[in-house]
Amino acid sequence: MANIYILARKSNGFGLEIEYQVVKDYCLENDYDYLEVFRILKSINQRVIN
């Protein structure tokens, strides 16, 4: 989970938001539920920003 979190944050420059398409592509390649992973990553990101 940490790898995709870092990748998704870096993909949009400053890393203040999670890049949806990066998460979706990663999850489809690895057979994960991308909506659930995206929700988790957004939650983690909110905690990091605050």
Side-chain angles (χ1 to χ4, degrees):
M1 189 70 69
N3 291 339
I4 186 58
Y5 177 70
I6 292 168
L7 179 63
R9 285 189 70 194
K10 285 187 175 180
S11 70
N12 67 356
F14 295 103
L16 299 176
E17 295 182 16
I18 300 298
E19 185 69 37
Y20 177 78
Q21 192 62 46
V22 172
V23 174
K24 183 177 179 181
D25 291 346
Y26 177 84
C27 290
L28 290 175
E29 286 178 9
N30 295 290
D31 199 31
Y32 298 138
D33 179 0
Y34 63 89
L35 293 175
E36 181 66 17
V37 172
F38 185 72
R39 185 187 63 77
I40 291 168
L41 293 177
K42 289 217 32 120
S43 175
I44 292 169
N45 200 45
Q46 278 302 109
R47 290 184 200 140
V48 170
I49 291 172
N50 293 334

